[in-house]
Amino acid sequence: MSLLSLSRNELKELLSDQPKYRIDQIWKGVYEQHLRPSEITTLPKQLREQLGQDPRFNLQGEEVEVLQADGGKTIKTLTRFSDGREVESVLMRYESRVTLCVSSQAGCAMGCVFCATGQAGFFRHLSADEILEQVFLAARRAKDLYDSRLSNLVFMGMGEPLANYDNVIEAVAKINFEFSIAARHITVSTVGIVPGILKLAENPMQISLAVSLHAANDELRTRLVPINARYPLDDLVASLDAYRERSNRRISFEWAMMADINDHDSDAFELAEIAKRVKAHVNLIPLNPTPLFPTPGTELDRVYEFRDLLVDSGVNATVRMTRGNQIAAACGQLSTQVKVRRSSRGEDKDLQAT
Ligand code: SAH
Ligand code: SF4
């Protein structure tokens, strides 16, 4: 048990000798000001000291590396939990919003061949409070550095969120209710775990769903995304039909563009068929090459041509070249190679340690 896993009632029970207004002070201090209880200066010193020494009122994780790019507008952190496992989170500041990308697992069992996290394999699920600790630490940083709150949250860090469904949904509820991020600004990105999509369809929270498609025929998709053998495209698309019918929410597709692999005209036409059927918006992101999958990302001119083919076929499609999306796409790379690809073509820049 640690601070962010406590409900308000549990907190009250643990501090039953304290008046109700103290519980409110602690709750607000944690969820609105993002302070540890020991840092809430409106509490009596003795109580602060007592709380500071008790692991139930503290975080389990600690930030072991903080790296920034783009003059501090993009910040990657590595958080280490008590068993030594480390996960990455990325904070991205834009003109009108602050987005946090969080991890849902240490590692990932899905083995997508182009993904650094997948290449490293699966270690374990994160608990809801380990997911929430990433949010707490980032919210604190956004307040200190940007004088701003977190407005958007995406599950695009390490791990497959729908393979850790219950913990992710428990965390999402608190992110929505306590960290006050609107449900429609919370996006779960999945490789296409059909039972998870069907379960999510029944969930009343209006969160957004992104599906990492990358290929629109089974032969290629199984090669790139091995879990496709278990949940082939027909089943995936049927689950998305059901999802739309039940939830009435919009779906987006992620398509990492890999040179001469999934960027042919025929790929665009196959993708357009599926995207039109489920009315999905398509995000095109040039692949970040990884050591075990050195294929380059598609050249920018071709990315735009591919986008035009989709648009001409009646599909909403966007090229996402911004630094933030490049970093979100560099899923799992912090722990392997502390390097991100910048927005302009071909330019690589090391992140600066802060
Ligand atoms: N497991 C989930 C969420 C984490 S991955 C999923 O797969 O959707 C987040 C996104 O990064 C996914 O769209 C994934 O396909 C993409 N991604 C992974 N490795 C990448 C790479 N090397 N270049 C570009 N995008 C990548
Ligand atoms: Fe896992 Fe997503 Fe990476 Fe695939 S792309 S290995 S599902 S984290």
Side-chain angles (χ1 to χ4, degrees):
M1 190 189 278
S2 65
L3 181 64
L4 302 182
S5 66
L6 296 175
S7 66
R8 209 177 176 118
N9 271 339
E10 285 166 338
L11 184 68
K12 204 160 112 193
E13 275 163 30
L14 289 177
L15 296 173
S16 56
D17 55 334
Q18 296 293 328
K20 182 178 173 297
Y21 72 89
R22 289 259 177 260
I23 307 302
D24 293 341
Q25 277 176 325
I26 296 176
W27 198 260
K28 279 195 172 152
V30 171
Y31 289 104
E32 287 175 21
Q33 293 162 294
H34 317 306
L35 297 170
R36 295 180 173 86
S38 60
E39 298 166 333
I40 302 173
T41 50
T42 47
L43 300 177
K45 192 156 178 281
Q46 198 200 343
L47 178 60
R48 272 193 277 146
E49 279 171 8
Q50 177 199 326
L51 297 175
Q53 284 158 12
D54 188 332
R56 295 173 303 179
F57 303 104
N58 280 289
L59 304 187
Q60 313 175 37
E62 87 176 290
E63 287 177 332
V64 290
E65 216 164 333
V66 181
L67 303 149
Q68 60 174 2
D70 301 293
K73 287 191 194 143
T74 304
I75 301 179
K76 262 198 183 201
T77 55
L78 199 59
T79 302
R80 180 183 296 156
F81 295 111
S82 41
D83 64 348
R85 287 289 167 218
E86 293 174 350
V87 300
E88 67 171 57
S89 326
V90 186
L91 185 63
M92 293 160 274
R93 183 193 188 180
Y94 300 89
E95 288 277 299
S96 58
R97 64 183 200 278
V98 177
T99 298
L100 175 68
C101 170
V102 291
S103 295
S104 56
Q105 300 178 313
C108 184
M110 301 300 143
C112 302
V113 293
F114 51 84
C115 169
T117 306
Q119 291 160 7
F122 177 71
F123 302 109
R124 66 172 177 83
H125 295 303
L126 296 191
S127 62
D129 42 328
E130 286 171 331
I131 296 169
L132 290 164
E133 289 191 4
Q134 298 170 64
V135 182
F136 177 90
L137 290 166
R140 200 177 154 92
R141 178 161 284 115
K143 182 166 146 261
D144 288 350
L145 289 185
Y146 310 148
D147 194 23
S148 182
R149 51 180 294 279
L150 297 180
S151 54
N152 296 66
L153 188 128
V154 296
F155 281 88
M156 288 191 182
M158 295 167 158
E160 168 48 46
L162 295 186
N164 186 17
Y165 188 91
D166 292 344
N167 292 341
V168 165
I169 292 301
E170 190 185 329
V172 163
K174 225 167 184 178
I175 291 165
N176 181 214
F177 294 127
E178 305 301 348
F179 286 98
S180 304
I181 300 182
R184 67 182 185 287
H185 292 163
I186 300 173
T187 301
V188 168
S189 175
T190 180
V191 70
I193 307 291
V194 166
I197 293 169
L198 294 174
K199 237 163 134 183
L200 202 58
E202 303 299 327
N203 189 295
M205 276 189 293
Q206 293 291 308
I207 54 179
S208 304
L209 180 67
V211 177
S212 301
L213 204 64
H214 308 313
N217 68 70
D218 281 320
E219 192 271 321
L220 178 60
R221 194 162 194 269
T222 300
R223 215 154 29 95
L224 299 173
V225 177
I227 196 70
N228 187 70
R230 181 127 139 240
Y231 305 117
L233 283 164
D234 277 352
D235 297 357
L236 176 57
V237 171
S239 77
L240 296 177
D241 283 338
Y243 177 87
R244 278 200 331 118
E245 210 166 282
R246 299 290 302 180
S247 73
N248 225 349
R249 276 169 276 156
R250 208 180 72 162
I251 295 163
S252 57
F253 284 154
E254 305 293 309
W255 191 277
M257 296 204 59
M258 311 175 197
D260 209 22
I261 292 186
N262 65 353
D263 60 0
H264 309 103
D265 289 5
S266 58
D267 295 300
F269 298 136
E270 284 170 353
L271 166 57
E273 290 250 313
I274 298 183
K276 276 194 286 190
R277 169 162 165 186
V278 301
K279 296 194 167 51
H281 183 104
V282 175
N283 289 311
L284 303 171
I285 310 148
L287 182 81
N288 268 306
T290 49
L292 294 179
F293 194 81
T295 302
T298 300
E299 284 287 324
L300 204 49
D301 293 349
R302 177 61 193 158
V303 175
Y304 282 105
E305 272 173 28
F306 193 89
R307 193 256 336 249
D308 291 345
L309 288 173
L310 292 173
V311 172
D312 291 347
S313 309
V315 174
N316 277 320
T318 318
V319 176
R320 293 171 66 185
M321 286 301 293
T322 63
R323 72 200 144 84
N325 294 315
Q326 281 288 14
I327 284 194
C331 164
Q333 295 195 345
L334 179 68
S335 49
T336 51
Q337 64 168 113
V338 192
K339 216 173 188 197
V340 288
R341 193 128 183 260
R342 292 289 299 278
S343 51
S344 50
R345 212 180 324 171
E347 180 197 353
D348 272 358
K349 179 152 185 200
D350 285 335
L351 285 163
Q352 312 280 313
T354 52

